Amino acid sequence: MTTTSSLIPTLPGRSYADPDVFADEQAKIFESLWFCAVRGEDVPRPGAFRTVQVGRESVIVVRGRDHRLRAFLNVCRHRGARLCEEPAGEVRRTIRCAYHAWSYDLDGRLAAAPNLAKMPDIDRVAHGLIPVHLREWLGYAWVCLAAEPPSFEETVTGAATERLGDLAAIERYHVEELALGRRISYDVKANWKLIVENFMECYHCATIHPELVAVLPEFAGGYAAQYYVGHGAEFAERVEGFTVDGGPGFGKLPDLAREQDRRYYAITVKPQVFVNLVPDHVIVHRMFPLAVDRTLVECDWLYHPDVVASGADLSRSVELFHRVNEQDFDACERTQPGMSSRAYREGGVLVPSEHHIALFHQWVNQRLRG
């Protein structure tokens, strides 16, 4: 007689603690898929740039003189020196190597070098910066290091469709037109997968998120919004807005459908983006895995431009998810040491309300096998 357990096994502990596994993930996941790098408004003018760590590579995202965003590997083609050391900055005309003064136009073409006139055979395009694929969505620049990127529609925008049931549902928030109200960076001493898994489930919500459960009482039952396609968690009856005390927010974004009001939606865009949708603002998390046990998380709170321009006090609005972040990341850091324990050598288990995390584990294993 066959018995079926209500529990599903997780990945083994070494998946979260072995540097060799992490190196494999860097190559086969973060350097092979679309990666959300920077928000467009962070690179506002021609010559403005940001550098970002994508897997094992440093990437420059720069605004060209034609106002287009482009991305390049942050490596001089002469002798391999890093071109831009700072995380952000602005150049006047060219990106110049501080070692031998090779300089590159904002479109990546080799512009100048000492004695270059004596080397007329040099192809300035072929010896220009190595380009990185770039797409823009939700107001962010997404880059891909793969020679042939996967379908953006299937792997990125498709995640929103899969979660919400309809791409138009996220388009009504006009995230690309929102303004950055607050940004907080968190240096989390935990493996990136622990953070993804935490975001996907709410079995922990009643235990560590009292403020969130007060606003979204259904989370106390342990089922996260992502458990159901198209479902948005409903605000508590007496809650006026998505704020730390349930007080008023800033009014519904203009084009939301009636069923999107007083609801919270969450989307995971694998491998490193979380999108949180509420009626008056959007919260976007971007993860930057730096080591097997260290992940930088950059969290943006985005509001209607009029709200930000007015100088409105965003503190009660920001504070709710800031507390959620701190509570979640503390839990992930509490979990990380256990990944190296012999007690977790074979992994743990998922309860029924967490079963959808098994699909994430399958996805990771498929990427690594591939």
Side-chain angles (χ1 to χ4, degrees), residues 96-111:
R96 184 177 183 270
C97 180
Y99 191 4
H100 295 96
W102 278 41
S103 301
Y104 303 88
D105 283 331
L106 301 183
D107 62 4
R109 181 176 178 271
L110 178 62

Side-chain angles (χ1 to χ4, degrees), residues 278-341:
V278 293
D280 66 332
H281 66 281
V282 172
I283 306 164
V284 178
H285 296 73
R286 287 170 291 141
M287 292 193 303
F288 301 88
L290 301 179
V292 68
D293 57 357
R294 183 183 173 212
T295 308
L296 181 67
V297 183
E298 195 161 83
C299 187
D300 291 347
W301 282 259
L302 307 170
Y303 298 85
H304 191 281
D306 291 348
V307 171
V308 176
S310 73
D313 181 4
L314 306 176
S315 59
R316 290 185 306 111
S317 177
V318 170
E319 182 63 22
L320 175 56
F321 230 83
H322 174 53
R323 289 193 193 181
V324 170
N325 286 338
E326 290 190 319
Q327 293 156 353
D328 279 338
F329 300 152
D330 177 71
C332 292
E333 291 182 341
R334 183 188 301 263
T335 303
Q336 182 64 40
M339 300 298 98
S340 301
S341 169

Side-chain angles (χ1 to χ4, degrees), residues 201-370:
E201 55 91 0
C202 213
Y203 191 46
H204 67 279
C205 287
T207 307
I208 70 171
H209 294 322
E211 299 89 353
L212 183 64
V213 169
V215 174
L216 305 173
E218 68 183 70
F219 278 6
Y223 288 90
Q226 295 186 80
Y227 192 80
Y228 309 98
V229 175
H231 177 72
E234 189 172 4
F235 289 8
E237 184 176 347
R238 295 184 179 180
V239 163
E240 296 181 75
F242 198 73
T243 58
V244 70
D245 57 6
F250 299 103
K252 183 167 66 74
L253 293 169
D255 293 336
L256 296 191
R258 180 181 301 175
E259 62 270 18
Q260 293 175 303
D261 195 11
R262 297 183 57 78
R263 296 270 179 174
Y264 163 83
Y265 298 86
I267 304 166
T268 300
V269 185
K270 298 187 293 287
Q272 46 86 243
V273 175
F274 311 141
V275 183
N276 308 270
L277 306 167
V278 293
D280 66 332
H281 66 281
V282 172
I283 306 164
V284 178
H285 296 73
R286 287 170 291 141
M287 292 193 303
F288 301 88
L290 301 179
V292 68
D293 57 357
R294 183 183 173 212
T295 308
L296 181 67
V297 183
E298 195 161 83
C299 187
D300 291 347
W301 282 259
L302 307 170
Y303 298 85
H304 191 281
D306 291 348
V307 171
V308 176
S310 73
D313 181 4
L314 306 176
S315 59
R316 290 185 306 111
S317 177
V318 170
E319 182 63 22
L320 175 56
F321 230 83
H322 174 53
R323 289 193 193 181
V324 170
N325 286 338
E326 290 190 319
Q327 293 156 353
D328 279 338
F329 300 152
D330 177 71
C332 292
E333 291 182 341
R334 183 188 301 263
T335 303
Q336 182 64 40
M339 300 298 98
S340 301
S341 169
R342 68 187 68 187
Y344 211 78
R345 186 173 295 154
E346 303 302 321
V349 294
L350 301 170
V351 302
S353 65
E354 302 172 303
H355 277 193
H356 57 298
I357 295 176
L359 297 176
F360 171 62
H361 293 165
Q362 292 172 19
W363 177 86
V364 170
N365 285 332
Q366 288 169 358
R367 291 298 313 176
L368 297 186
R369 285 197 300 267

